[in-house]
Amino acid sequence: IFSQDVVAMEDKTIAQTLGELLHERELTVSCAESCTGGNLAHRIVQVPGSSSYFLGSVVSYANDVKTNVLKVPKEEISRHGAVSKTVVEAMAKGVAKLISSRSCRSSPRVWAIVLSSIATTSCEKIILRVL
């Protein structure tokens, strides 16, 4: 969605800009988060009107949630680690499938945003995947 480093020239949050783009393009989004513990979803729903594009979120802090809820193969977590491109892509596919299949909306245009990181004080390794 964001094609450049500059998100907005006005005084807007990233969540506001994301919401405007999703609304304009008639897209919906779901999230899967790990160490952020739902903070991304929280920021999205603070924007008035977000219910028109935000479907829901899964906080998958534990690997069991990644495997049992998001259907990430346990072998992929063992082989690559929970904070890896492979696992994050599987989380994105899992949350998009889970939430779009349980949504009352029939839009085929569901995006997934995934945040995963090693829980350190600086959180320097963050993997963001937009599907």
Side-chain angles (χ1 to χ4, degrees), residues 34-130:
S34 185
C35 87
T36 52
N39 192 32
L40 176 61
H42 172 76
R43 288 173 186 246
I44 291 172
V45 301
Q46 297 306 302
V47 177
S50 59
S51 61
S52 70
Y53 53 82
F54 183 68
L55 301 179
S57 182
V58 173
V59 176
S60 56
Y61 197 75
N63 287 343
D64 286 345
V65 177
K66 290 175 182 69
T67 57
N68 296 326
V69 176
L70 298 177
K71 306 302 181 197
V72 175
K74 198 175 278 190
E75 306 77 43
E76 296 297 325
I77 295 173
S78 297
R79 184 179 306 124
H80 302 285
V83 182
S84 65
K85 181 179 178 186
T86 302
V87 170
V88 168
E89 287 176 350
M91 289 170 64
K93 290 175 185 170
V95 76
K97 183 176 181 180
L98 174 72
I99 293 192
S100 67
S101 69
R102 286 172 171 61
S103 170
C104 60
R105 301 177 193 179
S106 58
S107 171
R109 302 178 75 182
V110 177
W111 287 63
I113 300 174
V114 178
L115 289 175
S116 184
S117 174
I118 296 172
T120 65
T121 54
S122 62
C123 274
E124 66 265 353
K125 182 176 183 182
I126 296 178
I127 296 178
L128 168 65
R129 176 69 177 163
V130 179

Side-chain angles (χ1 to χ4, degrees), residues 1 21-23 25-29 52-53 107 109-111:
I1 291 177
L21 290 170
L22 291 167
H23 185 75
R25 296 173 186 181
E26 298 182 358
L27 298 170
T28 57
V29 70
S52 70
Y53 53 82
S107 171
R109 302 178 75 182
V110 177
W111 287 63

